[in-house]
Amino acid sequence: MEKMKIKEREWKRYFETVNAELRCKPVQIDSDSLAADELRESEWAELSELSYDPEFDICRLSVSGQPLQFKRLQDIHLECSSTGISTIEIKDTKGVRHAVRFRKPLPLVLPAFASLEAV
């Protein structure tokens, strides 16, 4: 499993690029945040939205109609293998980690952004 970091200036464009592919995929949320407790209770839930708004520095996540917002982000990482992306990990500036795990790896081609870097 390889971990790739997306540079901050690419967050919005990356999520815009993959959002349509992510919709309706079964995911599990693993978060250090109490706000995600309800989502953790359901084993697998349907992802409706994953986006980033650089103006307000907010990542929006909606799972089975339940919205979550993560503010002041520090890092976004992708866990990848030869079969695709298995996890998108979002970490805020307070060190709180939010992981969106896919039931099956997403057969997405990694973006051709020069700013992707191996971690």
Side-chain angles (χ1 to χ4, degrees):
M1 191 76 59
E2 186 175 354
K3 204 170 200 180
M4 305 291 285
K5 178 179 179 179
I6 302 175
K7 287 194 177 179
E8 183 176 351
R9 68 177 177 266
E10 301 296 341
W11 293 348
K12 179 177 172 46
R13 186 168 70 158
Y14 180 73
F15 286 139
E16 286 174 348
T17 302
V18 301
N19 198 38
E21 293 292 328
L22 298 174
R23 285 196 184 127
C24 302
K25 301 292 186 206
V27 297
Q28 277 185 322
I29 305 298
D30 178 17
S31 178
D32 298 336
S33 167
L34 294 176
D37 278 347
E38 287 182 31
L39 293 176
R40 266 192 256 165
E41 290 175 8
S42 60
E43 290 266 332
W44 293 100
E46 189 174 280
L47 182 66
S48 319
E49 176 192 16
L50 183 58
S51 62
Y52 176 70
D53 182 343
E55 183 178 348
F56 297 101
D57 195 13
I58 294 175
C59 180
R60 291 183 178 88
L61 171 69
S62 181
V63 178
S64 295
Q66 295 183 350
L68 285 175
Q69 292 186 354
F70 311 127
K71 298 179 182 181
R72 294 179 289 282
L73 305 185
Q74 179 179 336
D75 290 312
I76 296 177
H77 291 95
L78 307 175
E79 287 186 13
C80 311
S81 68
S82 60
T83 57
I85 299 169
S86 61
T87 304
I88 297 175
E89 186 176 280
I90 301 159
K91 187 175 177 184
D92 67 24
T93 54
K94 293 181 180 179
V96 178
R97 184 189 56 82
H98 315 279
V100 179
R101 298 187 197 291
F102 299 96
R103 180 179 280 176
K104 294 180 184 175
L106 296 175
L108 296 174
V109 175
L110 292 174
F113 307 149
S115 58
L116 260 182
E117 52 189 48
V119 176

